[in-house]
Amino acid sequence: MTDTAPPPQAQPRNPLHGMTLEAIVTALVDEYGWEGLDDRIPLRCFAFEPSVKSSLKFLRKTPWAREKVEGLYLFMLRERKRNERG
């Protein structure tokens, strides 16, 4: 007997659902630039010879740093919504 995993449920209210880490880092760099990103989350991969590739390599190995980047991305989305309203 084989058990098949149920299909993943849609997460319409989760803004990170379906987002790749590369897309998140790219959006943050577009919004804040590398220097602004380093000001908000001081990481070596954002400060010294920054690139998306080197940042992804570090963030994939470091869960706490990835959580900070995802949190900043969610903050950026909330700020954009707030600015659209007012």
Side-chain angles (χ1 to χ4, degrees):
M1 186 186 320
T2 60
D3 291 326
T4 58
Q9 294 181 347
Q11 298 180 16
R13 301 200 79 152
N14 182 355
L16 295 177
H17 183 71
M19 291 291 297
T20 63
L21 185 57
E22 182 176 4
I24 292 170
V25 170
T26 302
L28 289 171
V29 171
D30 290 345
E31 183 79 13
Y32 302 117
W34 288 111
E35 189 175 322
L37 197 50
D38 182 50
D39 289 343
R40 289 163 176 81
I41 305 173
L43 296 174
R44 185 173 173 82
C45 65
F46 296 155
F48 301 100
E49 298 181 21
S51 72
V52 172
K53 184 177 178 180
S54 66
S55 298
L56 292 175
K57 186 175 180 180
F58 174 75
L59 293 170
R60 287 182 178 132
K61 293 180 185 180
T62 317
W64 63 264
R66 181 180 181 143
E67 287 178 22
K68 287 183 176 266
V69 168
E70 289 172 346
L72 180 60
Y73 179 75
L74 293 173
F75 174 78
M76 179 188 79
L77 293 178
R78 285 191 305 270
E79 286 297 304
R80 283 183 179 174
K81 267 189 181 174
R82 187 175 297 146
N83 290 336
E84 286 174 5
R85 290 185 206 153

Coordinates of all heavy atoms in Angstrom, one line a residue:
M1 N 0.9 -1.2 0.0 CA 0.0 0.0 0.0 C 0.9 1.2 0.0 O 1.8 1.3 0.8 CB -0.9 0.0 1.2 CG -1.9 1.1 1.2 SD -2.9 1.3 2.7 CE -3.4 -0.2 3.3
T2 N 0.6 2.2 -0.9 CA 1.4 3.4 -0.9 C 0.5 4.6 -0.5 O -0.6 4.7 -0.9 CB 2.0 3.7 -2.3 OG1 0.9 3.8 -3.2 CG2 2.9 2.6 -2.8
D3 N 1.1 5.3 0.4 CA 0.4 6.6 0.8 C 0.9 7.7 0.0 O 2.1 7.9 -0.1 CB 0.7 6.9 2.3 CG 0.0 5.8 3.2 OD1 -1.0 5.4 2.8 OD2 0.6 5.5 4.2
T4 N 0.0 8.4 -0.6 CA 0.4 9.6 -1.4 C 0.1 10.8 -0.6 O -0.9 10.9 0.1 CB -0.3 9.7 -2.7 OG1 -1.7 9.7 -2.5 CG2 0.0 8.5 -3.6
A5 N 1.1 11.8 -0.6 CA 0.9 13.0 0.1 C -0.2 13.8 -0.5 O -0.4 13.8 -1.7 CB 2.2 13.8 0.1
P6 N -1.0 14.4 0.4 CA -2.1 15.3 -0.2 C -1.5 16.5 -0.9 O -0.4 16.9 -0.6 CB -2.9 15.7 1.1 CG -1.9 15.6 2.2 CD -1.0 14.5 1.8
P7 N -2.2 17.0 -1.9 CA -1.6 18.2 -2.6 C -1.5 19.3 -1.6 O -2.3 19.5 -0.7 CB -2.7 18.4 -3.7 CG -3.9 17.8 -3.2 CD -3.5 16.6 -2.3
P8 N -0.5 20.2 -1.8 CA -0.3 21.3 -0.9 C -1.6 22.2 -1.0 O -2.1 22.5 -2.1 CB 0.9 22.0 -1.5 CG 1.2 21.5 -2.8 CD 0.5 20.1 -2.9
Q9 N -1.9 22.8 0.1 CA -3.1 23.6 0.2 C -2.7 25.0 -0.3 O -1.6 25.5 0.0 CB -3.7 23.7 1.6 CG -4.3 22.4 2.0 CD -4.8 22.5 3.4 OE1 -4.6 23.4 4.1 NE2 -5.6 21.5 3.8
A10 N -3.6 25.7 -0.9 CA -3.4 27.1 -1.3 C -3.3 27.9 -0.1 O -3.9 27.7 0.9 CB -4.5 27.6 -2.2
Q11 N -2.4 28.9 -0.2 CA -2.2 29.8 1.0 C -2.4 31.3 0.5 O -1.5 32.0 0.4 CB -0.8 29.7 1.5 CG -0.6 28.3 2.1 CD 0.8 28.2 2.6 OE1 1.5 29.2 2.9 NE2 1.3 27.0 2.9
P12 N -3.7 31.6 0.2 CA -3.9 32.9 -0.4 C -3.5 34.1 0.4 O -3.3 35.2 -0.1 CB -5.4 32.9 -0.7 CG -6.0 32.0 0.2 CD -4.9 30.9 0.4
R13 N -3.4 33.9 1.7 CA -3.2 35.0 2.6 C -1.7 35.1 3.0 O -1.3 36.0 3.8 CB -4.0 34.9 3.9 CG -5.5 35.0 3.5 CD -6.3 35.3 4.6 NE -6.2 36.8 4.7 CZ -7.1 37.6 5.2 NH1 -8.2 37.1 5.7 NH2 -6.9 38.9 5.3
N14 N -0.9 34.2 2.5 CA 0.5 34.1 2.9 C 1.3 34.8 1.7 O 1.5 34.2 0.7 CB 1.0 32.7 3.1 CG 2.5 32.6 3.4 OD1 3.2 33.6 3.5 ND2 2.9 31.4 3.7
P15 N 1.8 36.0 2.0 CA 2.5 36.7 0.9 C 3.9 36.0 0.5 O 4.4 36.3 -0.6 CB 2.8 38.1 1.5 CG 2.6 38.0 2.9 CD 1.7 36.8 3.2
L16 N 4.4 35.1 1.3 CA 5.6 34.4 0.9 C 5.4 33.2 0.1 O 6.3 32.6 -0.4 CB 6.4 34.1 2.2 CG 7.0 35.2 3.0 CD1 7.6 34.7 4.3 CD2 7.9 36.1 2.2
H17 N 4.1 32.7 0.1 CA 3.8 31.5 -0.7 C 4.1 31.7 -2.1 O 3.7 32.6 -2.8 CB 2.3 31.2 -0.5 CG 2.0 29.9 -1.1 ND1 2.4 28.7 -0.7 CD2 1.2 29.6 -2.2 CE1 1.9 27.7 -1.5 NE2 1.2 28.3 -2.4
G18 N 4.9 30.8 -2.6 CA 5.3 30.8 -4.1 C 6.4 31.8 -4.4 O 6.9 31.8 -5.5
M19 N 6.9 32.5 -3.4 CA 8.1 33.4 -3.6 C 9.4 32.7 -3.4 O 9.5 31.9 -2.5 CB 8.0 34.6 -2.6 CG 6.9 35.6 -2.8 SD 7.1 36.5 -4.3 CE 8.6 37.4 -4.0
T20 N 10.3 32.8 -4.3 CA 11.6 32.3 -4.2 C 12.5 33.2 -3.4 O 12.2 34.4 -3.3 CB 12.3 32.0 -5.5 OG1 12.5 33.3 -6.2 CG2 11.5 31.1 -6.4
L21 N 13.5 32.7 -2.7 CA 14.4 33.5 -1.9 C 15.1 34.5 -2.9 O 15.3 35.7 -2.5 CB 15.4 32.6 -1.2 CG 16.4 33.4 -0.3 CD1 15.6 34.1 0.8 CD2 17.3 32.3 0.4
E22 N 15.4 34.1 -4.1 CA 16.0 35.0 -5.0 C 15.1 36.2 -5.4 O 15.5 37.3 -5.4 CB 16.3 34.3 -6.3 CG 17.1 35.1 -7.3 CD 17.5 34.4 -8.6 OE1 17.2 33.2 -8.7 OE2 18.1 35.0 -9.4
A23 N 13.8 35.9 -5.5 CA 12.9 37.0 -5.8 C 12.7 38.0 -4.6 O 12.6 39.2 -4.8 CB 11.5 36.4 -6.2
I24 N 12.8 37.4 -3.4 CA 12.7 38.3 -2.2 C 13.9 39.2 -2.1 O 13.8 40.4 -1.9 CB 12.5 37.4 -1.0 CG1 11.2 36.7 -1.0 CG2 12.7 38.2 0.3 CD1 11.0 35.6 0.1
V25 N 15.1 38.6 -2.3 CA 16.4 39.4 -2.2 C 16.4 40.4 -3.3 O 16.7 41.6 -3.0 CB 17.6 38.5 -2.2 CG1 18.9 39.3 -2.4 CG2 17.7 37.6 -1.0
T26 N 16.0 40.1 -4.5 CA 16.0 41.0 -5.6 C 15.0 42.2 -5.3 O 15.4 43.3 -5.6 CB 15.6 40.3 -6.9 OG1 16.6 39.3 -7.1 CG2 15.7 41.3 -8.1
A27 N 13.9 41.9 -4.8 CA 12.9 42.9 -4.5 C 13.4 43.9 -3.4 O 13.3 45.1 -3.5 CB 11.6 42.3 -4.0
L28 N 14.1 43.3 -2.4 CA 14.6 44.1 -1.3 C 15.8 45.0 -1.8 O 15.9 46.2 -1.5 CB 15.1 43.3 -0.2 CG 14.0 42.6 0.6 CD1 14.7 41.6 1.6 CD2 13.2 43.6 1.4
V29 N 16.6 44.5 -2.7 CA 17.7 45.3 -3.3 C 17.1 46.4 -4.1 O 17.6 47.5 -4.1 CB 18.7 44.4 -4.1 CG1 19.7 45.2 -4.9 CG2 19.4 43.4 -3.2
D30 N 16.1 46.1 -4.9 CA 15.4 47.1 -5.7 C 14.8 48.2 -4.9 O 14.9 49.4 -5.2 CB 14.3 46.5 -6.6 CG 14.9 45.6 -7.7 OD1 16.1 45.7 -8.0 OD2 14.1 44.9 -8.3
E31 N 14.3 47.8 -3.7 CA 13.6 48.8 -2.8 C 14.7 49.6 -2.0 O 14.5 50.9 -1.9 CB 12.7 48.1 -1.9 CG 11.9 49.0 -0.9 CD 10.7 49.6 -1.6 OE1 10.3 49.2 -2.7 OE2 10.2 50.6 -0.9
Y32 N 15.6 49.0 -1.4 CA 16.5 49.6 -0.5 C 18.0 49.8 -1.0 O 18.7 50.6 -0.4 CB 16.6 48.9 0.8 CG 15.3 48.7 1.5 CD1 14.7 47.4 1.7 CD2 14.5 49.8 1.9 CE1 13.5 47.2 2.3 CE2 13.3 49.6 2.6 CZ 12.8 48.3 2.8 OH 11.6 48.2 3.4
G33 N 18.4 49.1 -2.0 CA 19.8 49.0 -2.4 C 20.6 48.2 -1.5 O 20.1 47.9 -0.4
W34 N 21.8 47.9 -1.9 CA 22.6 47.0 -1.0 C 23.0 47.7 0.3 O 23.0 47.1 1.4 CB 23.9 46.6 -1.7 CG 23.7 45.6 -2.8 CD1 23.8 45.8 -4.1 CD2 23.3 44.2 -2.6 NE1 23.5 44.6 -4.8 CE2 23.2 43.7 -3.9 CE3 23.0 43.4 -1.5 CZ2 22.8 42.3 -4.1 CZ3 22.6 42.1 -1.7 CH2 22.5 41.6 -3.0
E35 N 23.3 49.0 0.2 CA 23.7 49.8 1.4 C 22.5 49.9 2.4 O 22.6 49.7 3.6 CB 24.2 51.1 1.1 CG 24.8 51.9 2.2 CD 25.4 53.2 1.8 OE1 26.0 53.3 0.8 OE2 25.2 54.2 2.6
G36 N 21.3 50.1 1.9 CA 20.1 50.2 2.7 C 19.8 48.9 3.3 O 19.3 48.8 4.4
L37 N 20.0 47.8 2.5 CA 19.7 46.5 3.1 C 20.7 46.1 4.2 O 20.3 45.6 5.2 CB 19.9 45.5 1.9 CG 19.3 44.1 2.1 CD1 17.8 44.1 2.5 CD2 19.4 43.3 0.8
D38 N 21.9 46.5 4.0 CA 22.9 46.3 5.1 C 22.6 47.1 6.3 O 22.9 46.7 7.4 CB 24.3 46.6 4.6 CG 25.4 46.3 5.6 OD1 25.4 45.2 6.2 OD2 26.2 47.2 5.9
D39 N 22.1 48.3 6.1 CA 21.7 49.2 7.3 C 20.6 48.5 8.1 O 20.5 48.6 9.3 CB 21.2 50.5 6.8 CG 22.3 51.4 6.3 OD1 23.5 51.1 6.6 OD2 22.0 52.4 5.6
R40 N 19.6 47.9 7.4 CA 18.5 47.2 8.1 C 18.8 45.9 8.6 O 18.3 45.5 9.7 CB 17.3 47.1 7.1 CG 16.7 48.5 6.8 CD 15.9 48.5 5.5 NE 15.2 49.8 5.3 CZ 15.8 50.8 4.8 NH1 17.1 50.8 4.4 NH2 15.1 51.9 4.6
I41 N 19.6 45.1 7.9 CA 20.1 43.8 8.4 C 21.6 43.7 8.1 O 22.0 43.4 7.0 CB 19.4 42.6 7.6 CG1 17.9 42.8 7.6 CG2 19.8 41.3 8.2 CD1 17.1 41.8 6.8
P42 N 22.3 44.0 9.2 CA 23.8 44.0 9.0 C 24.4 42.6 8.8 O 24.6 41.9 9.8 CB 24.3 44.7 10.2 CG 23.2 44.6 11.2 CD 22.0 44.4 10.5
L43 N 24.6 42.3 7.6 CA 25.2 41.0 7.2 C 26.4 41.2 6.3 O 26.3 42.1 5.4 CB 24.2 40.0 6.5 CG 23.0 39.6 7.4 CD1 22.0 38.8 6.5 CD2 23.4 38.8 8.5
R44 N 27.4 40.5 6.4 CA 28.6 40.6 5.6 C 28.2 40.4 4.1 O 28.8 41.1 3.3 CB 29.6 39.6 6.0 CG 30.9 39.7 5.3 CD 32.0 38.8 5.9 NE 33.2 38.8 5.1 CZ 34.1 39.7 5.2 NH1 34.0 40.7 6.1 NH2 35.2 39.7 4.5
C45 N 27.3 39.5 3.8 CA 27.0 39.3 2.4 C 26.3 40.5 1.7 O 26.2 40.6 0.5 CB 26.1 38.0 2.2 SG 24.5 38.1 3.0
F46 N 25.8 41.4 2.6 CA 25.2 42.7 2.0 C 26.2 43.8 2.0 O 25.9 44.8 1.3 CB 24.0 43.1 2.9 CG 22.8 42.1 2.9 CD1 21.9 42.1 3.9 CD2 22.6 41.2 1.8 CE1 20.9 41.2 3.9 CE2 21.5 40.3 1.8 CZ 20.7 40.3 2.9
A47 N 27.2 43.7 2.8 CA 28.2 44.8 3.0 C 29.4 44.8 2.1 O 29.8 45.8 1.5 CB 28.6 44.9 4.4
F48 N 30.0 43.6 1.9 CA 31.2 43.5 1.2 C 31.1 42.7 -0.1 O 30.7 41.5 -0.1 CB 32.3 42.8 2.1 CG 32.5 43.5 3.4 CD1 31.9 43.1 4.6 CD2 33.3 44.6 3.4 CE1 32.2 43.8 5.7 CE2 33.6 45.3 4.6 CZ 33.0 44.9 5.7
E49 N 31.3 43.4 -1.2 CA 31.1 42.8 -2.5 C 29.8 42.1 -2.6 O 29.7 40.9 -2.9 CB 32.3 41.9 -2.9 CG 33.6 42.5 -2.9 CD 34.8 41.6 -3.2 OE1 34.5 40.6 -3.8 OE2 35.9 42.0 -2.9
P50 N 28.7 42.8 -2.4 CA 27.4 42.1 -2.4 C 26.9 41.7 -3.8 O 27.2 42.3 -4.8 CB 26.4 43.2 -1.9 CG 27.1 44.5 -2.2 CD 28.6 44.2 -2.2
S51 N 26.3 40.5 -3.8 CA 25.6 40.1 -5.1 C 24.5 39.2 -4.6 O 24.4 38.6 -3.5 CB 26.6 39.3 -5.9 OG 26.9 38.0 -5.4
V52 N 23.5 39.0 -5.5 CA 22.4 38.1 -5.2 C 22.9 36.7 -5.0 O 22.5 36.0 -4.1 CB 21.3 38.2 -6.4 CG1 20.2 37.2 -6.1 CG2 20.7 39.6 -6.4
K53 N 23.8 36.3 -5.9 CA 24.3 34.9 -5.8 C 25.0 34.6 -4.4 O 24.7 33.6 -3.8 CB 25.3 34.6 -6.9 CG 25.8 33.2 -7.0 CD 26.7 33.0 -8.1 CE 27.2 31.6 -8.1 NZ 28.1 31.3 -9.3
S54 N 25.9 35.5 -4.0 CA 26.6 35.3 -2.7 C 25.6 35.4 -1.5 O 25.7 34.6 -0.5 CB 27.7 36.2 -2.5 OG 27.3 37.6 -2.4
S55 N 24.6 36.3 -1.6 CA 23.6 36.4 -0.6 C 22.8 35.2 -0.5 O 22.5 34.7 0.6 CB 22.7 37.6 -0.8 OG 23.5 38.8 -0.8
L56 N 22.3 34.6 -1.6 CA 21.5 33.4 -1.6 C 22.3 32.2 -1.0 O 21.7 31.5 -0.2 CB 21.1 33.1 -3.0 CG 20.1 34.0 -3.7 CD1 19.8 33.6 -5.1 CD2 18.8 34.1 -2.9
K57 N 23.6 32.1 -1.3 CA 24.4 31.0 -0.8 C 24.4 31.1 0.8 O 24.2 30.1 1.4 CB 25.8 31.1 -1.4 CG 26.7 30.0 -1.0 CD 28.0 30.1 -1.7 CE 28.9 29.0 -1.3 NZ 30.2 29.0 -2.0
F58 N 24.6 32.3 1.3 CA 24.7 32.5 2.7 C 23.3 32.3 3.4 O 23.2 31.5 4.4 CB 25.2 33.9 3.1 CG 25.1 34.2 4.6 CD1 26.0 33.6 5.4 CD2 24.1 35.0 5.1 CE1 26.0 33.9 6.8 CE2 24.0 35.3 6.4 CZ 25.0 34.8 7.3
L59 N 22.3 32.9 2.8 CA 20.9 32.8 3.4 C 20.4 31.4 3.4 O 19.6 31.0 4.3 CB 20.0 33.7 2.7 CG 20.3 35.2 2.9 CD1 19.4 36.1 1.9 CD2 20.1 35.7 4.3
R60 N 20.7 30.6 2.4 CA 20.2 29.2 2.3 C 20.9 28.3 3.4 O 20.3 27.3 3.9 CB 20.5 28.6 1.0 CG 19.6 29.2 -0.1 CD 19.8 28.5 -1.4 NE 18.8 29.1 -2.4 CZ 19.2 29.5 -3.6 NH1 20.4 29.5 -4.0 NH2 18.2 30.0 -4.4
K61 N 22.0 28.7 3.9 CA 22.7 28.0 4.9 C 22.4 28.5 6.3 O 22.8 27.9 7.3 CB 24.3 28.1 4.7 CG 24.7 27.4 3.5 CD 26.3 27.5 3.4 CE 26.8 27.0 2.1 NZ 28.3 27.2 2.1
T62 N 21.8 29.7 6.4 CA 21.7 30.4 7.7 C 20.2 30.7 8.0 O 19.7 31.8 7.6 CB 22.5 31.6 7.7 OG1 23.8 31.3 7.1 CG2 22.7 32.2 9.1
P63 N 19.5 29.8 8.6 CA 18.0 30.0 8.8 C 17.7 31.3 9.5 O 16.7 32.0 9.2 CB 17.6 28.8 9.7 CG 18.7 27.8 9.4 CD 19.9 28.5 9.2
W64 N 18.4 31.7 10.6 CA 18.1 32.9 11.3 C 18.2 34.2 10.4 O 17.4 35.1 10.5 CB 18.9 33.1 12.6 CG 20.4 33.3 12.3 CD1 21.4 32.3 12.4 CD2 21.1 34.5 12.0 NE1 22.6 32.8 12.1 CE2 22.5 34.1 11.9 CE3 20.7 35.8 11.8 CZ2 23.4 35.1 11.5 CZ3 21.7 36.7 11.5 CH2 23.0 36.4 11.4
A65 N 19.2 34.2 9.5 CA 19.4 35.3 8.6 C 18.2 35.3 7.6 O 17.7 36.4 7.2 CB 20.7 35.3 7.9
R66 N 17.9 34.1 7.1 CA 16.8 34.1 6.1 C 15.5 34.6 6.7 O 14.7 35.3 6.1 CB 16.6 32.6 5.7 CG 15.5 32.5 4.6 CD 15.4 31.0 4.2 NE 14.3 31.0 3.2 CZ 14.4 30.2 2.1 NH1 15.4 29.4 2.0 NH2 13.4 30.1 1.3
E67 N 15.2 34.2 8.0 CA 14.0 34.7 8.7 C 14.0 36.2 8.8 O 13.0 36.9 8.6 CB 13.9 34.1 10.1 CG 13.6 32.7 10.1 CD 13.5 32.1 11.5 OE1 13.4 32.9 12.5 OE2 13.6 30.9 11.6
K68 N 15.2 36.8 9.0 CA 15.3 38.3 9.1 C 15.0 38.9 7.7 O 14.3 39.9 7.6 CB 16.6 38.8 9.6 CG 16.8 38.5 11.0 CD 18.2 39.1 11.5 CE 18.4 38.9 12.9 NZ 18.0 40.1 13.7
V69 N 15.5 38.3 6.6 CA 15.3 38.8 5.3 C 13.8 38.7 4.9 O 13.2 39.6 4.4 CB 16.2 38.1 4.3 CG1 15.7 38.3 2.8 CG2 17.6 38.5 4.5
E70 N 13.2 37.5 5.2 CA 11.7 37.4 5.0 C 10.9 38.3 5.8 O 9.9 38.9 5.3 CB 11.3 35.9 5.3 CG 11.9 34.9 4.3 CD 11.6 33.5 4.6 OE1 11.3 33.2 5.8 OE2 11.8 32.6 3.8
G71 N 11.3 38.6 7.0 CA 10.6 39.6 7.8 C 10.7 41.0 7.3 O 9.7 41.7 7.2
L72 N 11.8 41.4 6.8 CA 12.0 42.7 6.1 C 11.2 42.8 4.9 O 10.6 43.8 4.6 CB 13.5 43.0 5.8 CG 13.8 44.3 5.2 CD1 13.3 45.5 6.1 CD2 15.2 44.4 4.8
Y73 N 11.1 41.7 4.1 CA 10.3 41.7 2.9 C 8.8 41.9 3.3 O 8.1 42.7 2.6 CB 10.4 40.3 2.2 CG 9.6 40.2 0.9 CD1 9.9 40.9 -0.2 CD2 8.5 39.4 0.9 CE1 9.2 40.8 -1.4 CE2 7.7 39.3 -0.2 CZ 8.0 40.0 -1.4 OH 7.3 40.0 -2.5
L74 N 8.3 41.2 4.3 CA 6.9 41.4 4.7 C 6.7 42.8 5.2 O 5.6 43.4 4.9 CB 6.6 40.4 5.8 CG 6.6 38.9 5.4 CD1 6.4 38.0 6.6 CD2 5.5 38.7 4.4
F75 N 7.7 43.4 5.9 CA 7.6 44.8 6.4 C 7.5 45.7 5.2 O 6.7 46.6 5.1 CB 8.8 45.1 7.2 CG 8.8 46.6 7.6 CD1 8.0 47.1 8.6 CD2 9.7 47.4 6.9 CE1 8.1 48.4 9.0 CE2 9.7 48.8 7.2 CZ 9.0 49.3 8.3
M76 N 8.3 45.5 4.1 CA 8.3 46.3 2.9 C 6.9 46.2 2.3 O 6.4 47.3 1.8 CB 9.3 45.8 1.9 CG 9.4 46.6 0.6 SD 10.5 45.8 -0.6 CE 9.5 44.5 -1.2
L77 N 6.3 45.0 2.2 CA 5.0 44.9 1.6 C 3.9 45.7 2.4 O 3.1 46.4 1.8 CB 4.6 43.4 1.5 CG 5.4 42.6 0.5 CD1 4.8 41.1 0.6 CD2 5.3 43.1 -0.9
R78 N 4.0 45.6 3.7 CA 3.1 46.3 4.6 C 3.2 47.8 4.4 O 2.2 48.6 4.3 CB 3.2 46.0 6.1 CG 2.7 44.6 6.4 CD 2.6 44.4 7.9 NE 3.9 44.6 8.6 CZ 4.8 43.7 8.8 NH1 4.6 42.4 8.4 NH2 6.0 43.9 9.4
E79 N 4.5 48.3 4.3 CA 4.7 49.7 4.1 C 4.2 50.2 2.8 O 3.6 51.3 2.7 CB 6.2 50.0 4.2 CG 6.7 50.0 5.6 CD 6.1 51.0 6.5 OE1 6.2 52.2 6.2 OE2 5.5 50.7 7.5
R80 N 4.3 49.4 1.7 CA 3.8 49.8 0.4 C 2.3 49.9 0.5 O 1.7 50.8 -0.1 CB 4.2 48.7 -0.6 CG 5.6 48.8 -1.1 CD 5.9 47.8 -2.1 NE 7.2 47.9 -2.7 CZ 7.8 47.0 -3.5 NH1 7.0 46.0 -4.0 NH2 9.0 47.2 -3.9
K81 N 1.6 48.9 1.1 CA 0.2 49.0 1.2 C -0.3 50.2 2.0 O -1.2 50.9 1.6 CB -0.4 47.8 1.9 CG -0.8 46.7 1.0 CD -1.5 45.6 1.8 CE -1.9 44.5 0.8 NZ -2.4 43.3 1.5
R82 N 0.4 50.5 3.1 CA 0.1 51.7 3.9 C 0.3 53.0 3.1 O -0.5 53.9 3.2 CB 1.0 51.7 5.1 CG 0.6 52.8 6.2 CD 1.5 52.7 7.4 NE 1.3 51.4 8.1 CZ 2.2 50.8 8.7 NH1 3.4 51.2 8.8 NH2 1.9 49.6 9.3
N83 N 1.3 53.1 2.3 CA 1.5 54.3 1.5 C 0.5 54.4 0.4 O 0.2 55.5 0.0 CB 3.0 54.2 0.9 CG 4.0 54.4 2.0 OD1 3.7 55.0 3.0 ND2 5.2 53.9 1.8
E84 N 0.0 53.3 -0.1 CA -1.0 53.4 -1.2 C -2.3 53.9 -0.6 O -3.0 54.6 -1.3 CB -1.3 52.0 -1.7 CG -0.2 51.5 -2.6 CD -0.4 50.0 -3.1 OE1 -1.5 49.4 -2.7 OE2 0.5 49.5 -3.7
R85 N -2.6 53.6 0.6 CA -3.9 54.1 1.2 C -3.8 55.6 1.6 O -4.8 56.3 1.4 CB -4.1 53.3 2.5 CG -4.5 51.9 2.3 CD -4.9 51.3 3.6 NE -4.7 49.8 3.6 CZ -4.4 49.1 4.6 NH1 -4.3 49.6 5.8 NH2 -4.2 47.8 4.4
G86 N -2.7 56.0 2.0 CA -2.7 57.4 2.6 C -1.9 58.3 1.7 O -1.8 59.1 1.1

